[in-house]
């Protein structure tokens, strides 16, 4: 779960939707998570809260709090709720792995 959320934040940084305030990013990590189900049925969506840490050279750290809504996909991966489409249907996104991120996999 922590990896999925870190992947998502790296994707947001790649898209310019967030800009970590650290020089020369070394790694991205999630704090321990607090999660809770949004329903009583098995397979219900859930929310996890915590902090994302962007860690740079010289121990610079930028922290962003988060609490996304998630669900488990049929293939076992986790998807994050990113909003509704034009018809009002929920849109879920499985983020690309950090290894594909130009922001988080940079040397």
């Amino acid at each position: 779960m922590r990896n999925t959320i870190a992947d998502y934040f790296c994707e947001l940084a790649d898209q310019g939707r967030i800009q970590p305030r650290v020089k020369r990013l070394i790694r991205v990590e999630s704090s321990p998570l607090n999660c809770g189900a949004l329903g009583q049925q098995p397979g219900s969506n859930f929310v996890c809260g915590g902090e994302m840490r962007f860690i740079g050279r010289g121990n610079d750290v930028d922290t962003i709090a988060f609490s996304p809504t998630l669900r488990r996909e049929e293939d076992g991966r986790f998807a994050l709720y990113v909003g509704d489409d034009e018809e009002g249907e929920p849109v879920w996104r499985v983020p690309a792995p950090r290894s594909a991120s130009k922001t988080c996999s940079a040397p």
Side-chain angles (χ1 to χ4, degrees):
M1 181 62 57
R2 290 172 66 181
N3 283 332
T4 298
I5 292 172
D7 293 346
Y8 179 68
F9 274 89
C10 287
E11 198 171 77
L12 292 177
D14 287 347
Q15 296 168 357
R17 294 176 59 197
I18 61 169
Q19 295 182 341
R21 297 175 303 206
V22 297
K23 293 182 175 144
R24 297 182 59 190
L25 185 66
I26 295 174
R27 72 180 184 277
V28 178
E29 62 186 33
S30 169
S31 68
L33 303 175
N34 291 309
C35 299
L38 296 174
Q40 294 181 4
Q41 310 86 339
S44 292
N45 298 340
F46 55 98
V47 174
C48 290
E51 294 180 334
M52 186 58 54
R53 296 182 196 114
F54 292 89
I55 302 165
R57 295 218 184 262
N59 292 325
D60 290 341
V61 178
D62 185 18
T63 304
I64 299 172
F66 62 81
S67 59
T69 300
L70 300 106
R71 73 176 184 187
R72 183 181 292 270
E73 298 290 288
E74 288 182 14
D75 63 5
R77 298 182 302 165
F78 294 103
L80 290 92
Y81 171 74
V82 295
D84 291 342
D85 64 14
E86 302 81 36
E87 287 84 41
E89 296 295 319
V91 176
W92 297 90
R93 173 115 175 85
V94 175
R98 268 175 285 172
S99 61
S101 168
K102 65 182 180 228
T103 301
C104 296
S105 65

